[in-house]
Amino acid sequence: MVCNDSSKSSWKAVTSGVPQGSVLGPVLFLVFINDLDSTLISSTLKFADDTKLFGIVNTDVERAVIQRDLSCLVEWSEKWLMPFNTDKCVVLHLGKNTTNLIIMNSSKLYTVNEKKDLGVIITSNLKPVRECQQAYAKAIKSLGLIFGQ
């Protein structure tokens, strides 16, 4: 039901998902995905509708743990009808670059050398060069606007 001043709409059944734009939407979503990482061995970070799975991978056994956890995430998403968009999923190796194949939902995940996360560019070598280049480009653009060029 939607209320606007003294007017009210009729009740409508919600068959799936969380109503977009509602005050309780973000809270309901967090409650809904609360058990997402309950069966995982690797660490996860969740922010809004983004989930990051990470761990130290120096051996085939450690790579298998990451692969198992990805499979668990896919099983969870199928059970709760919330599929991951594998086109947006990537692998970022920190430190020495490895060529371990990671698969999610029968799709090979692409390995990238950098990824923007919450406005910060993270590179595989953890050097701030790309972040500095981006800040420099923004500063030059701002100066061009200030001086009318």
Side-chain angles (χ1 to χ4, degrees), residues 28-39:
L28 291 174
F29 181 76
L30 290 175
V31 168
F32 188 76
I33 67 164
N34 189 46
D35 68 336
L36 174 71
D37 53 1
S38 63
T39 62

Side-chain angles (χ1 to χ4, degrees), residues 71-124:
S71 297
C72 288
L73 286 174
V74 169
E75 287 175 23
W76 181 94
S77 73
E78 289 171 350
K79 176 183 176 183
W80 295 108
L81 304 175
M82 285 189 61
F84 285 95
N85 185 350
T86 53
D87 292 338
K88 291 183 176 181
C89 297
V90 296
V91 176
L92 175 65
H93 297 283
L94 302 179
K96 66 178 185 175
N97 197 5
T98 60
T99 57
N100 290 332
L101 178 66
I102 302 291
I103 296 172
M104 184 176 189
N105 244 2
S106 302
S107 299
K108 176 187 171 193
L109 296 183
Y110 294 103
T111 300
V112 296
N113 291 323
E114 65 181 46
K115 180 74 176 139
K116 193 169 191 174
D117 186 31
L118 298 176
V120 178
I121 299 173
I122 308 294
T123 59
S124 57

Side-chain angles (χ1 to χ4, degrees), residues 25-60:
V27 175
L28 291 174
F29 181 76
L30 290 175
V31 168
F32 188 76
I33 67 164
N34 189 46
D35 68 336
L36 174 71
D37 53 1
S38 63
T39 62
L40 304 181
I41 297 169
S42 305
S43 300
T44 58
L45 291 174
K46 295 181 275 189
F47 180 78
D49 62 348
D50 288 338
T51 302
K52 288 164 192 56
L53 178 73
F54 61 96
I56 297 172
V57 179
N58 290 318
T59 66
D60 287 339

